[in-house]
Amino acid sequence: MTIIFNPKFYQSDYANNNSAKPGRMEAIMQELEKNYSVVTNGTALESDLALVHDPAYINKIKAQPGIYDMARLSAGGAILAAQLGMDGHPSFACIRPPGHHAYRSSGWGYCYFCNMAIALKKLKTEGRIKSVFLLDFDAHTGDGTRDCLSDWKGIRILNPMAATRQEYMKLLETAIKETGHVDLIAVSAGFDSYKKDVGKKLDTFDFYQIGYLLKKFSKRCGHLRRFAILEGGYYLPDLGKNALAFCQGFE
Ligand SMILES: [Zn+2]
């Protein structure tokens, strides 16, 4: 298991919102650094961003240099995580800003570029993948990711919506069971679905179990290709513990 991170993500002054707030990256990295090796990611190329986003929108973000630099670095982390996952090395990218509310030509919810869509489209453009199972377990629907990948027939995106954690886990198990072979398993990991966070649902063991189910799925596919990237997660006292639990199931 490899963790993707860049110390620049510690800078919390690129934006004034929940996702950019101080302590988020520290909470996660304190736990993960003790357990895994960390690889430093670089920046996505503008041509990578253009695989997903309209030029006019990219220019609009570029006009806010602090945000543009951090968002491009975040996309770079997702790209590296996807490449490692594709090579059979499970990985988790601890990145911000998140991306799953970024559409082709707009963004909301602290998101600017759709990190996940950029990483997956890059692999597809390189001819390395045709089919993907994408789980987004953030408390909020990854509407941006869906928009950015709507022209891709071979991708199955699951945002489980359930009243209880038991139903939630059941939905995930059923979806995995029903899905045949895929070339790659991708995860938008939003820890705001935690019981003490805004989603008020999953507990720490559920994050472990989600990781474990996806690991088993990748074994069933016979290639072990899987990666995850950070989306939301704002309850700092348990954020690191939850990210570690997911990684321990996923590794
Ligand atoms: Zn969220």
Side-chain angles (χ1 to χ4, degrees), residues 29-41:
M29 289 309 294
Q30 267 166 21
E31 292 297 328
L32 299 188
E33 258 170 351
K34 283 187 278 189
N35 292 279
Y36 303 108
S37 59
V38 179
V39 172
T40 306
N41 68 277

Side-chain angles (χ1 to χ4, degrees), residues 1-6 9 24-25 28-29 32 36-42 73-85 89-99 115-116 119 187-191 226-232 243 246-247 250:
M1 182 81 181
T2 304
I3 306 304
I4 316 293
F5 184 68
N6 188 307
F9 292 131
R24 262 189 97 223
M25 298 288 107
I28 297 174
M29 289 309 294
L32 299 188
Y36 303 108
S37 59
V38 179
V39 172
T40 306
N41 68 277
L73 190 66
S74 191
I79 288 170
L80 181 56
Q83 285 169 341
L84 284 173
H89 305 294
S91 62
F92 173 78
C94 180
I95 55 176
R96 71 177 172 187
N115 303 320
M116 178 57 82
V187 188
S188 271
F191 296 97
R226 57 193 188 273
F227 77 99
I229 65 172
L230 181 67
E231 301 287 355
F246 169 74
C247 288
F250 200 58

Side-chain angles (χ1 to χ4, degrees), residues 100-101 110 138-141 190-193 198 231-234:
H100 75 153
H101 297 309
Y110 328 139
D138 192 276
H140 308 95
T141 299
F191 296 97
D192 54 1
S193 46
V198 293
E231 301 287 355
Y234 312 104

